[in-house]
Amino acid sequence: MDAFSPSPAAGLRPLTVRMATPRGFCAGVDRAIQIVERAIEKFGAPVYVRHEIVHNKHVVDRLKSLGAVFVKDLDECPDDRPVVFSAHGVPKSVPATARARELMFLDATCPLVSKVHVEAERHHANGRHIILIGHAGHPEVVGTLGQLPQGAISLVETVEDAESFQRPGDRPLAYATQTTLSLDDTSEILRVLKRRFPELPDPHKEDICYATTNRQEAVKQLANGSGLVLVVGSKNSSNSVRLVEVALRAGAGNAQLIDDASQIDWSWLDGVSTVGVTAGASAPEPLVQAVVQALQARFDVTLADDPGEQETVTFKLPRALTV
Ligand code: SF4
């Protein structure tokens, strides 16, 4: 650019854009996507995937274009093609059915969800009744409930549920949580349960995973002082929806969930001088960068990376894909 060229930002209104750290993909999502990609490479298309592999429209659409076929249940899968189970985990009946049909299956359940399953089984084996804190109908909750016989786990969704929960008989209690809940809501529910059932372990042992924790802490930092927080993620992504709630509760003037830049309503920016940008654990970074570019096209943007937790967690792929 020569000295006489106007600045690209000439005439544009100044806007500070603060980027959350960390944001976007977690180790469990990264592993699940790699499992589908590698399965297609190794076995050819189509590879069937039971349920959305992770809750992100763009990820699902890209995998479809590579040869993944997404189905709701195993009865939609032919006997001669591999099937992948999603990162959210599945009830025990699903791998059992796959084995009975001699299907080739790959389990993309996040190891941190599997850990919750193992703990639930341990509590059950020790004669405890389990309280599961989570959202009814979410695939992770369906998967965790499906690890044990019916009636072994009671689902508690809210503080009101925690107040009205009735212990079945005099069995000792234990609890587990969905990995993608709001830390603050969960502490509140646990506080009530602990008051009613003091023998429950202290409420700092919830199963909310590192990625959910770090993204919620990062958005809290951003929210204070941001007139708007944009959360890149899909509507059915539990951890992305939680980021919007956490941002609003932490003081953001407005917080909106968007699948991508095309969903920005530019009137949200009216009167806003600072925008925070983050992404749920299933949202790809290129979508975040496209949001930044859309902001840069309309404003004189000063970009700032918020300091935050550096994540180094990685999970191994199943052996069937590495040998
Ligand atoms: S959000 Fe947490 S539990 Fe879910 S896939 Fe990512 S790391 Fe695993």
Side-chain angles (χ1 to χ4, degrees):
M1 190 191 304
D2 64 49
F4 301 103
S5 303
S7 144
L12 299 182
R13 179 161 74 77
L15 182 73
T16 301
V17 176
R18 287 172 62 190
M19 306 297 292
T21 307
R23 60 176 180 267
F25 277 8
C26 61
V29 162
D30 194 45
R31 172 177 179 270
I33 295 169
Q34 278 195 60
I35 288 175
V36 179
E37 289 171 349
R38 296 267 193 111
I40 294 169
E41 267 167 44
K42 184 160 178 171
F43 305 111
V47 163
Y48 285 72
V49 183
R50 185 189 175 278
H51 194 82
E52 285 193 357
I53 184 75
V54 300
H55 283 157
N56 186 273
K57 181 185 172 314
H58 288 268
V59 169
V60 167
D61 287 348
R62 191 180 71 81
L63 292 173
K64 273 185 194 166
S65 75
L66 296 177
V69 176
F70 290 86
V71 293
K72 286 215 171 81
D73 225 327
L74 283 189
D75 50 18
E76 297 166 67
C77 304
D79 290 337
D80 59 349
R81 296 305 309 160
V83 56
V84 180
F85 304 150
S86 84
H88 312 96
V90 288
K92 274 210 164 132
S93 57
V94 173
T97 305
R99 272 187 212 103
R101 282 180 57 191
E102 296 183 4
L103 293 179
M104 153 75 185
F105 67 88
L106 295 154
D107 190 354
T109 303
C110 175
L112 300 182
V113 175
S114 300
K115 188 168 153 254
V116 177
H117 294 177
V118 169
E119 278 168 14
E121 282 192 278
R122 186 171 53 81
H123 290 312
H124 181 65
N126 290 336
R128 294 181 181 272
H129 181 78
I130 297 155
I131 300 168
L132 175 63
I133 303 169
H135 296 295
H138 187 280
E140 184 184 323
V141 166
V142 173
T144 303
L145 290 173
Q147 299 306 303
L148 295 174
Q150 223 174 355
I153 304 180
S154 298
L155 184 64
V156 163
E157 292 188 82
T158 59
V159 166
E160 291 73 33
D161 289 352
E163 290 286 6
S164 62
F165 164 75
Q166 293 299 323
R167 180 206 301 258
D170 56 0
R171 288 172 64 192
L173 297 171
Y175 70 83
T177 68
Q178 191 180 331
T179 56
T180 50
L181 297 178
S182 147
L183 290 162
D184 296 336
D185 289 345
T186 306
S187 310
E188 199 50 22
I189 292 171
L190 283 172
R191 201 180 50 72
V192 172
L193 290 171
K194 178 88 175 149
R195 190 196 76 231
R196 295 190 58 215
F197 308 102
E199 79 272 19
L200 278 173
D202 283 338
H204 56 82
K205 297 225 172 71
E206 71 270 1
D207 305 302
I208 294 171
C209 75
Y210 80 97
T212 301
T213 306
N214 291 345
R215 279 152 192 70
Q216 287 182 16
E217 289 303 325
V219 85
K220 270 188 196 169
Q221 302 299 322
L222 274 190
N224 198 1
S226 290
L228 170 68
V229 172
L230 293 172
V231 178
V232 181
S234 289
K235 286 190 176 52
N236 59 348
S237 159
S238 169
N239 78 87
S240 304
V241 174
R242 300 290 86 76
L243 290 177
V244 173
E245 294 168 359
V246 171
L248 287 171
R249 219 179 284 166
N254 183 8
Q256 297 286 343
L257 183 64
I258 51 171
D259 258 310
D260 54 43
S262 73
Q263 293 185 349
I264 300 173
D265 175 340
W266 294 103
S267 70
W268 296 336
L269 275 293
D270 291 349
V272 167
S273 57
T274 302
V275 175
V277 177
T278 187
S282 45
E285 179 64 15
L287 297 180
V288 178
Q289 292 308 321
V291 166
V292 173
Q293 283 160 16
L295 292 167
Q296 285 170 325
R298 288 165 181 81
F299 298 90
D300 179 8
V301 166
T302 303
L303 208 52
D305 268 315
D306 264 31
E309 196 70 28
Q310 297 299 321
E311 294 177 342
T312 53
V313 179
T314 55
F315 296 129
K316 281 192 197 138
L317 294 176
R319 244 180 87 71
L321 295 174
T322 56
V323 288

